[in-house]
Amino acid sequence: MHSEELNREFVRLKDAAYRYAVSLLHDHNEAADATQDCYERLWRRRLIIRSKSFDSLVMVTIRNICLDRIRQRRRAWQPSSIEELESLPPSLGSAEQRESADIIRRVMENLPSREREVLHLRECEGMEFEDIARIVGSTESAVRMACSRARNRVKEEYIKIMNYGV
Amino acid sequence: MEYKDLTKRYFDGELSPAEEQTLHDELAAVADNALTNDERAAKAMLHYASLKSNASVSVKLHESRTHGRTRLTDAIVALCSMRYARIATTAVLGVVAIAMAIHLSQPTVYGYHNGKPITSYDEAQLLAQDIFDNLAHDGFAENHDLQKLFTLD
C-alpha cells in the first residue's frame, strides 16, 4: 500500500478506531494517542500491507495497542478516575433522551469487557458479526451470542433503573 | 408496526445493520409512552449508539511523496503491485528453487576409483583403508632406508 492510499484509507477509518479505543480505554486523550500510534505502526508497515482487509487490520491494531496500554496501566497502578470516563456530548437530544443514553452508557460500562467490546463494534460502528469475529479473534456465532447476551443484560438493567430507580 | 418484530429480533442478535437502522428510525418516530419496556430499552440503546458514533479525532498524517525515502518506498510498492512484475518475480524464484533442488538432490562424490565416482561414504572409507594397507605392505616393509630412520643404533 503506498503512502497516499494509506493516508486516505486511514482518514476514512480513524474515527471508528478512535471510538473503539475510547470504549476500551475509557479515556479520550489516551484513545487519541492510541489512534496516532496505530497510524504510526501502519505507516511503518505500509510496504507489506494489502488494501484488501485494511479495515480489519486497523481495528485489530488499535485493539492490540489498547490492550498493551491497559496492561501498562495495571503494572503502573494508575487506574483512570471516574471523572475521566467517557461522556456524551451535552447538546444532543432532549433531557430525557440524554438521561436514557447516560443510563445505557453506565450499564454498558459494567458489562464484561468482551461483551462491551462486541456491543460497541456492532452498535456504534455498525459492523457485521463476521468482521467483529475477525477483530476480537472469535467465531461469528460466538460474537452473535455475546452481542445478544449483552443487549439483554443492558435491557434488563435499563428497565430496572427506569421502572424502579435501582 | 414493524418495530415490534424487529425489537424481538434485535435482542436475539438476528438483525442486519440495515434492519437495525430501520428499527432506530421507527422507534425514534414513536413516543416513549406508546412503547413497551423492551422497545424503550432498544430505543435508548440505538439512540446512545447514534450519539457515540459521532465522536471524532484528528490524527497527524505523514506527508506523502515529499520525503525521498517515502517516494522510494512508494515506488517499490508500485513495482511490487504491478501484475507483470509479480509474475516475473514468481518465475525467477521458481527457477532458483528448481536449480537449488537439483543441486541438493545430487549425491556427494568422495573420490574416483578406476574412473568410477564413489558416492557412498562407507565405500570411500573402505577404499581409502585399502590404499593405506597396500602402501604399508608393498612400500614401507621393503624400504630399509626408511626403517633406519626409526632405529636408534
Side-chain angles (χ1 to χ4, degrees), chain B residues 124-141:
Chain B
Q125 267 193 323
L126 278 173
L127 285 170
Q129 191 63 51
D130 279 353
I131 289 164
F132 284 116
D133 286 350
N134 289 341
L135 272 174
H137 287 120
D138 304 340
F140 288 109

Side-chain angles (χ1 to χ4, degrees), chain B residues 16-27:
Chain B
S16 66
E19 285 173 318
E20 282 175 18
Q21 187 57 47
T22 308
L23 178 63
H24 174 247
D25 295 342
E26 288 204 7
L27 288 174

Side-chain angles (χ1 to χ4, degrees), chain B residues 48-65:
Chain B
Y48 169 74
S50 71
L51 288 183
K52 268 201 85 179
S53 59
N54 291 325
S56 178
V57 68
S58 62
V59 172
K60 192 180 182 316
L61 299 174
H62 288 281
E63 291 287 320
S64 318
R65 297 185 183 282

